[in-house]
Amino acid sequence: MASVLYQSIETLSRDKGIEPAVVVGAVEDAIALATRKYYKTQENMRAEMDRETGEIRAYVFKTVVETPEQVEDDVNQMTLEQARELAPEVEVGGELRFYKDTTPLGRIAAQMAKQVIFQKVREAERDTVFNEYNHRAGEVLNATVKRLEPMDVIFDLGKAEARMPKREQSRLEQFAVGERVRVVLLRVDRAAKGPQVIVSRAAPGLVQNLFQSEVPEIYDGTVSIKAIAREAGERTKIAVMSRDKDVDPVGACVGMKGMRVQSIIRELRGEKIDIIEYSEEITTFAEKALQPAKVSRVSITDLADKQIEVIVDDTQLSLAIGKKGQNVRLAAKLLQWKIDIKSEEEKRQEVESQMQAMSGGPTTPIEQVSDLGEAILEKLIAAGITTVEALADMTPEQLEEVPGIGEKTVEKISVAVRHYFGQYEEGEERPAPAISAVFETEAAEAEETSMEKTPEALLAEEAGVGTAHEVNNLSAEDIADAEEAESASDAFSDNDAREEQIELDNDTVDSLVDEAQEHSDEGIDDGNDRG
């Protein structure tokens, strides 16, 4: 029958989850150390416990060497000759043990032995915890809330304690001491104070385990979970696929009137869950992953880098992106692809800029064409024609397709564009140059005329003949008549015409005043006659 001491060791082993032999070895090491301390010796000492009686004896062990020259430690070694005097059958390399009395060991030695035993038991317990949970990463465990710390929650797993850091918690969850919950085992950290088991309630594996528990089709393998993307406390997207064409994977997960998925949502304290049907075609999968937004089209932009471009309607852009980018971020995690999401207007502007870059020409705002009225400018801009270059490249037929522009307006636009580029047809009036430029031109021409032309040539121009030789053939009277006509022509300038018109107007006003005065005088005379 085992002694009372050994029975106590077995009870301790069961409570700590370690082998009884480990505790027995810790007790023997503690007694040997206490004995060595008591006798103040450096002898190689070990202890042995009798399981039947519970007695613990301490022994000194000495190693046997062949000759005295081989003895390096007089305390722990002895020669073969000395050893055979005590034990004739001993050989070189063997050990002889000598009993050491442990009766004199007092309270201090017992306290030291107790500390050694506790230390050995803790080390054995740490190894047991590490070996128990290290290979179970990702497994869902049932745990009980043991205590609440300012940032962490401590759980009791039965054989060990587990810690859940703040980053592994859902913001929707609050715990109470003694509450039983399911947690995901993340890892086991082998710290200096012992292995720490880290658990999580924010890992996607928790959602997967809940679906396996609630949905029989997932448990038996008819419906499989292909991917999960989760932001704990906010939203989860889960992609499912059915191996049976007669089984709807989304409907199986939702359940009758949503009972199955509602049960999971309650377990997650109200976290939103999007269930999506998985597709091998990445473009189709992307359209479904961005639900509830409606996608216009999806295209692969970089296959090697796994990047796609998603175009949505302008009204669907905010819904596709989601609050703080959550919807598109979860979709990217679900697909394991990079998603570049754009609206129709953004894509159109991008295409226009690319076309302009390919043409290589400058772009000039259409407002620079001053001959176009505001009404025409508004119609062109509304139709997406914003540059002079784009307007110049359009045909009359294309312009007539613009709402509000007819045949006459097309002709007006064509003339305005030609004039903007400095192209004038014969008979079209060019803009007048600046006044200073006119004066400078006239002065330069006058100076050139006076410097280069002879008096005969000048006189020939004024007389209306071709050359100076012809002037010599004119008589004095002809020359005088020509000068008089030219002077009269020069005098009758635009200013003279305006002054003449003003004088005519003044004469007309004077005539009207005189007539009015005569009528007035006649009336007065008639009155006097009647009187």
Side-chain angles (χ1 to χ4, degrees), residues 44-60:
N44 184 14
M45 194 171 296
R46 282 179 285 185
E48 295 180 357
M49 188 184 77
D50 190 344
R51 297 184 180 182
E52 298 296 331
T53 62
E55 183 182 1
I56 303 175
R57 296 187 179 93
Y59 297 94
V60 175

Side-chain angles (χ1 to χ4, degrees), residues 149-384:
E149 296 183 352
M151 298 297 291
D152 302 342
V153 180
I154 307 302
F155 293 95
D156 184 9
L157 299 179
K159 295 183 178 180
E161 288 186 353
R163 181 172 62 90
M164 184 168 68
K166 182 69 175 179
R167 64 179 179 273
E168 299 298 338
Q169 302 175 26
S170 170
R171 67 175 186 84
L172 299 177
E173 295 181 332
Q174 299 292 334
F175 300 99
V177 175
E179 182 180 0
R180 290 184 62 82
V181 295
R182 281 182 278 194
V183 296
V184 178
L185 178 61
L186 291 184
R187 63 185 183 277
V188 180
D189 293 337
R190 204 158 195 172
K193 295 182 179 180
Q196 289 187 346
V197 181
I198 309 300
V199 296
S200 172
R201 288 273 298 175
L206 178 61
V207 180
Q208 182 172 355
N209 180 266
L210 292 174
F211 270 96
Q212 289 174 349
S213 302
E214 295 291 336
V215 182
E217 290 83 357
I218 294 179
Y219 182 79
D220 63 19
T222 304
V223 176
S224 61
I225 299 175
K226 303 297 292 185
I228 297 179
R230 185 186 182 202
E231 290 188 2
E234 298 289 345
R235 183 180 291 273
T236 294
K237 287 182 180 288
I238 178 170
V240 293
M241 184 181 70
S242 175
R243 291 185 173 89
D244 189 347
K245 63 180 181 179
D246 296 329
V247 177
D248 178 17
V250 177
C253 294
V254 173
M256 182 78 67
K257 297 181 180 181
M259 293 180 60
R260 293 176 178 176
V261 72
Q262 287 299 326
S263 176
I264 297 173
I265 291 174
R266 283 194 299 270
E267 173 71 21
L268 299 176
R269 308 297 198 274
E271 183 176 316
K272 297 180 178 65
I273 299 178
D274 296 337
I275 304 173
I276 302 163
E277 185 176 358
Y278 178 78
S279 176
E280 295 289 347
E281 182 64 34
I282 189 63
T283 55
T284 305
F285 192 22
E287 291 181 9
K288 296 179 179 179
L290 286 169
Q291 292 176 356
K294 296 181 180 179
V295 177
S296 299
R297 59 187 180 276
V298 180
S299 58
I300 299 176
T301 56
D302 191 343
L303 185 60
D305 198 30
K306 288 190 174 182
Q307 187 168 356
I308 60 176
E309 182 182 68
V310 178
I311 308 299
V312 298
D313 191 74
D314 295 349
T315 59
Q316 296 287 313
L317 182 61
S318 60
L319 186 61
I321 294 175
K323 184 180 179 181
K324 298 181 181 179
Q326 183 186 80
N327 192 53
V328 68
R329 185 166 58 250
L330 286 174
K333 290 180 181 178
L334 197 68
L335 270 65
Q336 297 296 318
W337 282 61
K338 299 177 183 177
I339 300 178
D340 185 12
I341 189 166
K342 299 176 183 177
S343 65
E344 294 281 3
E345 178 64 21
E346 291 173 344
K347 185 61 177 178
R348 185 185 64 79
Q349 294 177 357
E350 180 182 342
V351 172
E352 285 184 356
S353 62
Q354 290 176 354
M355 294 297 293
Q356 292 174 0
M358 291 175 62
S359 62
T363 58
T364 307
I366 197 172
E367 291 84 359
Q368 296 295 326
V369 184
S370 58
D371 291 350
L372 294 175
E374 292 185 1
I376 298 177
L377 285 174
E378 291 178 359
K379 294 174 182 178
L380 293 174
I381 293 174

